[in-house]
Amino acid sequence: MMSEREKLIEKLSDYGYIKSEKVRKAMLRVPREEFVQPDKKNYAYLDQPLSIGHGQTISAPHMVAIICEELYLEEGMKVLEIGTGLGYNAAVVAEIIGEKGHLYSVERIESLAMASEENLNRTNHSKNVTVVVGDGTLGYEKEAPYDRIYVTAGAPDMPEPLKKQLKIGGKLLAPVGPSSYTQELILVSRTSKDEFTEKSLCGVAFVPLIGKHGWRR
Ligand code: SAM
């Protein structure tokens, strides 16, 4: 009999959100129930965001699939995530980039950062994930440049520091929009030191990105 996780992954593949074997395998390996609040474990395999407290959410599984597919992640990549939440997306990315890769994830709410570290530790994802508390709209200069950067909260404009921290040939994915709860998912590719291309992938609804290059509180 198929598990709840297997059923969800099959549905995401049938709907075309999961396209590649590497994203499918990574999502099959990560137990989403370990990244939700204890009273929400029964809902872990519904394809929807769930509250994680502090007015924040764990992203819906289809959104995690879209992010991972559109970034074309490869083993060994250095990746920056803005908005760790409870760490689910981070764990899926960590599975794809493997032990030779590394994910730095910045979260502005300290208690979420601490809880995500515990979750990532318990599920054996802490070797190649480092959680940092701070304002992710500034990126994480210390480890720049990155092969890939993705933002899991909605920004009013594409944060400039993130573009600067991208390697040439790198990709940056972020929800951007004029209202703090509806955005377009924008994919930026850095083609040279000073040149970037941008395309809109789809409409999305993320919680606001709050910080110097995001929304002001
Ligand atoms: N990646 C998460 C997951 O796997 O479910 C999604 C988390 S939630 C949709 C967005 C997160 O972004 C929240 O935890 C919020 O606190 C965080 N956030 C908002 N503004 C931020 C900023 N400037 N820097 C870092 N984190 C931020």
Side-chain angles (χ1 to χ4, degrees), residues 56-59 81 83-84 89 106-109 135-136 152 210:
Q56 307 302 323
T57 54
I58 172 174
S59 299
E81 174 184 60
T84 323
N89 204 336
V106 185
E107 171 56 55
R108 64 178 278 273
I109 300 175
D135 176 4
T152 66
I210 295 167

Side-chain angles (χ1 to χ4, degrees), residues 50-199:
L50 299 168
S51 165
I52 55 172
H54 308 273
Q56 307 302 323
T57 54
I58 172 174
S59 299
H62 74 269
M63 205 59 247
V64 174
I66 292 173
I67 289 172
C68 291
E69 292 291 4
E70 292 296 340
L71 286 172
Y72 289 90
L73 296 162
E74 302 281 348
E75 229 182 298
M77 278 184 167
K78 190 195 254 194
V79 181
L80 176 66
E81 174 184 60
I82 310 302
T84 323
L86 287 179
Y88 176 69
N89 204 336
V92 175
V93 170
E95 288 281 348
I96 301 172
I97 61 178
E99 288 190 5
K100 291 191 196 119
H102 204 94
L103 173 70
Y104 295 87
S105 184
V106 185
E107 171 56 55
R108 64 178 278 273
I109 300 175
E110 190 173 2
S111 57
L112 287 178
M114 284 167 65
S116 71
E117 271 186 328
E118 279 169 26
N119 296 342
L120 290 161
N121 207 4
R122 200 175 51 250
T123 56
N124 290 321
H125 292 101
S126 51
K127 276 199 289 295
N128 59 347
V129 182
T130 304
V131 179
V132 179
V133 179
D135 176 4
T137 69
L138 302 169
Y140 188 51
E141 183 70 51
K142 193 172 156 212
E143 293 291 340
Y146 301 94
D147 295 294
R148 301 288 186 263
I149 301 177
Y150 65 100
V151 184
T152 66
D157 301 293
M158 189 61 74
E160 273 305 311
L162 301 186
K163 288 171 76 172
K164 293 204 178 97
Q165 291 175 26
L166 207 51
K167 286 185 189 172
I168 294 169
K171 292 181 194 298
L172 157 63
L173 194 59
V176 179
S179 125
S180 48
Y181 282 92
T182 54
Q183 309 90 17
E184 283 180 46
L185 192 60
I186 305 291
L187 179 67
V188 173
S189 303
R190 186 170 199 172
T191 53
S192 72
K193 185 171 175 291
D194 301 312
E195 288 169 310
F196 298 84
T197 61
E198 243 184 66
K199 74 171 174 179

